[in-house]
């Protein structure tokens, strides 16, 4: 096994193994762990399904496609980016992948082992794990500050870059998973300036770029990057949403500005060529769906609904004094932090069912009943919440963070269920913190 292999972990799905054990004991689980709108009962409108069904009736959708992806689709996407008025690209600057997950696992692979890409903390673990695995070292991160609306701490980023000559790139995730923060324009400009000063390249994961609400607007990398080299990553898993399509793409900006960067983009294209190509059907569907006049109003409506849920969740949780709670403005997650000193190793939630109680205690305590020291305190809370209230959330310590808290999703479409779930979370927190 390679040295980097131990850096791979994905708590967003690991927690499911625990929840499945409880499900076997008869528990009903509310899945707040994963950002899959379809799993949370979102239904694509009929007109989108009709477009996809019609494409499936055409013989040529069953073949391979060009390695970088369908030319017509890449031309369509290049035009969309160019219309923003920033950096200009052609179809040749776009390469398709089997979901952004595939793109993320490749983008760090072709950077030399000692060169590092600094990313936000809390970190979306697909990025931080892949980057750490390439370097066989723990991730290097800059702080998102929960006491300042989760905005990036630009001084922290500047200093880390300045004092670590191995850093060759900066990752931004905008809007952010797991915090739901949208990078302010000024901050983005400052990050571009840091990249320019230290001759770095930028990676922007923009899978949520069109998912903003309650008055926010996310600025794309293409709009603010100027002549700095960079890669934007986009996809349809969240926006359409069609996560099962496994379809995402990279857009390369300013390839001509730097020979190394240009070679790097070429290596990414070549890696896809070795695999032959990515999934074709969703690529063919993209211009037909995103280019349809019905798409924008449909997306706006879903965004409004997420915004409304964001406010409902804020109403329920922001009153708990032991929490640091920030309202969200993009993507569909929120990260809620326990204030320092509020979590302690011997807290618990009352669990009626003796089998369930024994199971959760086997996860959080040693055989002698004393708390397991190796388990993070937010994970302990998350396990109790799961076992006592049936709500599955993800501990924030699993997102490369020293903070203690948890991530929830804003995806529950039924308002009554949403209110019930978040009231259960709040009651769980209050009861847990008062238990010891
Ligand atoms: C920030 C971010 N990037 C990438 C992905 C993966 O997307 P895909 O379904 O295209 O692999 C996710 C999925 O949750 C995400 O949150």
């Amino acid at each position: 096994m390679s040295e980097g292999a131990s850096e791979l972990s994905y708590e967003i799905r690991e927690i499911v193994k625990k929840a499945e054990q409880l499900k076997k004991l008869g528990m009903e689980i509310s899945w707040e762990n994963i950002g899959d709108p379809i799993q949370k009962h979102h239904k694509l409108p009929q007109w989108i399904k009709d477009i996809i069904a019609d494409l499936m009736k055409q013989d040529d959708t069953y073949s391979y496609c060009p390695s970088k992806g369908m030319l017509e689709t890449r031309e369509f996407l290049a035009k969309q980016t160019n219309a923003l008025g920033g950096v200009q690209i052609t179809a040749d600057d776009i390469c398709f992948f089997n979901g952004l997950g595939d793109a993320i696992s490749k983008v760090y692979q072709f950077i030399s082992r000692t060169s590092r890409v600094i990313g936000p903390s809390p970190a979306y673990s697909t990025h931080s794990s892949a980057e750490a695995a390439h370097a066989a070292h723990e991730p290097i991160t800059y702080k998102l500050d929960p006491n300042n609306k989760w905005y990036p701490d630009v001084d922290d980023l500047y200093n880390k870059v300045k004092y670590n000559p191995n850093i060759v790139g900066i990752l931004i995730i905008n809007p952010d998973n797991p915090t739901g923060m949208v990078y302010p324009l000024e901050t983005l400009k400052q990050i571009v300036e840091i990249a320019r000063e230290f001759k770095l390249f930028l990676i922007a994961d923009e899978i949520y770029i069109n998912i903003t609400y309650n008055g926010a607007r996310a600025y794309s990398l293409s709009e603010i990057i100027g002549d700095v080299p960079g890669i934007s990553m986009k996809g349809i898993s969240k926006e359409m949403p069609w996560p099962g399509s496994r379809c995402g793409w990279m857009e390369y900006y300013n390839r001509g500005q730097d020979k190394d960067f240009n070679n790097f983009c070429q290596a990414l294209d070549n890696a896809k060529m070795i695999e032959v190509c990515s999934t074709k059907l969703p690529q063919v569907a993209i211009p037909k769906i995103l280019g349809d006049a019905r798409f924008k109003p449909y997306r706006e409506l879903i965004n409004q609904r997420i915004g409304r849920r964001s406010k409902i969740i804020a109403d329920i949780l922001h009153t708990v004094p032991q929490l640091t709670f920030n309202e969200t403005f993009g993507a569909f997650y929120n990260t809620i932090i326990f204030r320092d000193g509020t979590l302690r190793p011997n807290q618990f939630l009352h669990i009626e069912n003796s089998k369930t109680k024994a199971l959760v205690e086997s996860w959080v305590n040693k055989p002698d009943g004393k708390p397991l020291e190796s388990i993070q305190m937010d994970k302990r809370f998350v396990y109790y919440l799961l076992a006592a209230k049936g709500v599955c959330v993800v501990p924030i310590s699993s997102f490369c963070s020293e903070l203690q808290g948890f991530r929830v999703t804003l995806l529950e479409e039924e308002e009554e269920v949403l209110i019930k779930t978040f009231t259960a979370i709040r009651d769980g927190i209050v009861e847990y913190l008062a238990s010891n």
Side-chain angles (χ1 to χ4, degrees):
M1 227 166 70
S2 77
E3 274 174 69
S6 61
E7 297 291 341
L8 299 171
S9 75
Y10 199 60
E11 194 64 44
I12 297 164
R13 283 192 178 238
E14 283 295 331
I15 190 81
V16 175
K17 293 181 193 160
K18 293 279 189 282
E20 291 291 351
Q21 289 181 49
L22 290 165
K23 219 173 142 188
K24 273 199 193 131
L25 295 178
M27 244 189 129
E28 212 177 296
I29 308 288
S30 171
W31 301 98
E32 292 303 324
N33 58 311
I34 193 149
D36 181 346
I38 306 294
Q39 200 171 311
K40 294 299 276 188
H41 317 298
H42 179 80
K43 291 197 172 38
L44 289 180
Q46 194 57 40
W47 68 266
I48 294 187
K49 290 182 186 165
D50 288 343
I51 289 174
I52 296 166
D54 283 346
L55 289 172
M56 291 191 75
K57 288 178 198 146
Q58 295 173 17
D59 289 324
D60 64 347
T61 47
Y62 293 84
S63 67
Y64 290 127
C65 66
S67 290
K68 282 165 72 84
M70 296 297 288
L71 179 62
E72 218 182 83
T73 309
R74 287 183 289 123
E75 279 170 345
F76 169 84
L77 294 171
K79 213 163 142 193
Q80 277 204 334
T81 294
N82 294 346
L84 294 172
V87 77
Q88 300 291 298
I89 54 170
T90 68
D92 208 35
D93 297 312
I94 296 181
C95 185
F96 268 91
F97 292 83
N98 291 312
L100 271 198
D102 173 31
I104 293 166
S105 74
K106 291 207 171 59
V107 79
Y108 303 107
Q109 242 178 48
F110 303 104
I111 301 171
S112 64
R113 176 163 279 203
T114 50
S115 300
R116 305 299 306 269
V117 175
I118 185 168
S121 164
Y124 174 59
S125 34
T126 299
H127 279 285
S128 52
S129 282
E131 200 281 333
H134 117 271
H137 265 289
E138 58 191 36
I140 301 178
T141 58
Y142 60 92
K143 265 188 229 131
L144 303 182
D145 183 0
N147 297 313
N148 183 26
K149 306 177 185 172
W150 281 120
Y151 288 164
D153 180 337
V154 181
D155 291 337
D156 180 46
L157 173 63
Y158 186 88
N159 285 325
K160 296 241 173 78
V161 168
K162 185 172 177 187
Y163 294 109
N164 189 341
N166 287 338
I167 293 175
V168 296
I170 303 172
L171 167 71
I172 58 190
I173 303 177
N174 187 28
D176 184 55
N177 176 5
T179 64
M181 174 271 295
V182 179
Y183 280 67
L185 179 60
E186 252 333 286
T187 309
L188 287 173
K189 286 182 179 165
Q190 287 171 321
I191 294 175
V192 171
E193 281 320 304
I194 296 173
R196 193 191 307 281
E197 180 177 341
F198 293 96
K199 295 193 165 40
L200 315 180
F201 76 105
L202 291 159
I203 301 179
D205 182 326
E206 301 189 324
I207 199 160
Y208 300 104
I209 199 78
N210 293 315
I211 307 183
T212 51
Y213 39 82
N214 298 344
R217 130 106 147 105
Y219 288 87
S220 303
L221 184 67
S222 76
E223 293 174 272
I224 44 101
I225 194 166
D227 58 2
V228 172
I231 295 176
S232 163
M233 295 177 149
K234 296 178 180 165
I236 58 171
S237 289
K238 317 291 176 174
E239 194 179 317
M240 199 170 278
W242 190 7
S245 68
R246 310 312 300 128
C247 179
W249 64 94
M250 289 192 202
E251 298 180 4
Y252 309 132
Y253 301 148
N254 299 316
R255 283 178 79 157
Q257 297 291 331
D258 184 283
K259 200 163 122 282
D260 283 346
F261 181 68
N262 189 34
N263 290 341
F264 176 53
C265 298
Q266 188 60 54
L268 292 165
D269 283 355
N270 291 347
K272 187 44 71 180
M273 204 187 312
I274 286 168
E275 271 183 21
V276 181
C277 67
S278 297
T279 44
K280 180 174 178 182
L281 175 68
Q283 288 180 37
V284 189
I286 282 173
K288 296 192 184 332
I289 296 169
L290 301 191
D292 190 293
R294 286 169 287 188
F295 189 77
K296 204 163 170 246
Y298 155 69
R299 188 62 247 170
E300 273 167 10
L301 185 68
I302 313 177
N303 289 353
Q304 271 171 23
R305 289 184 184 150
I306 301 172
R308 185 175 155 72
R309 282 179 229 139
S310 169
K311 289 223 178 278
I312 291 174
I313 293 170
D315 282 346
I316 298 173
L317 288 179
H318 90 275
T319 51
V320 183
Q322 295 95 332
L323 299 179
T324 300
F325 183 92
N326 285 288
E327 233 183 87
T328 63
F329 293 92
F332 36 60
Y333 311 94
N334 197 343
T335 290
I336 295 137
I337 299 300
F338 290 100
R339 289 187 194 272
D340 278 353
T342 55
L343 283 185
R344 285 180 295 279
N346 47 5
Q347 290 160 323
F348 62 93
L349 283 176
H350 177 72
I351 297 167
E352 204 68 60
N353 181 305
S354 59
K355 279 194 184 148
T356 309
K357 185 168 183 279
L359 184 61
V360 76
E361 283 176 356
S362 75
W363 297 337
V364 299
N365 291 340
K366 292 188 273 197
D368 65 4
K370 296 218 173 85
L372 204 60
E373 282 119 24
S374 57
I375 188 170
Q376 288 284 346
M377 282 193 285
D378 58 356
K379 204 174 207 181
R380 183 182 168 93
F381 164 75
V382 162
Y383 287 164
Y384 267 108
L385 186 74
L386 184 59
K389 308 281 180 191
V391 184
C392 184
V393 299
V394 193
I396 215 63
S397 56
S398 312
F399 290 77
C400 282
S401 175
E402 282 163 12
L403 299 167
Q404 299 284 313
F406 57 95
R407 187 193 78 167
V408 294
T409 70
L410 280 56
L411 288 173
E412 179 53 60
E413 302 240 331
E414 276 181 47
E415 206 160 298
E416 244 176 64
V417 179
L418 180 83
I419 293 171
K420 196 168 151 235
T421 305
F422 280 84
T423 306
I425 294 176
R426 185 196 55 202
D427 293 350
I429 293 169
V430 171
E431 200 186 316
Y432 187 82
L433 295 181
S435 68
N436 231 315

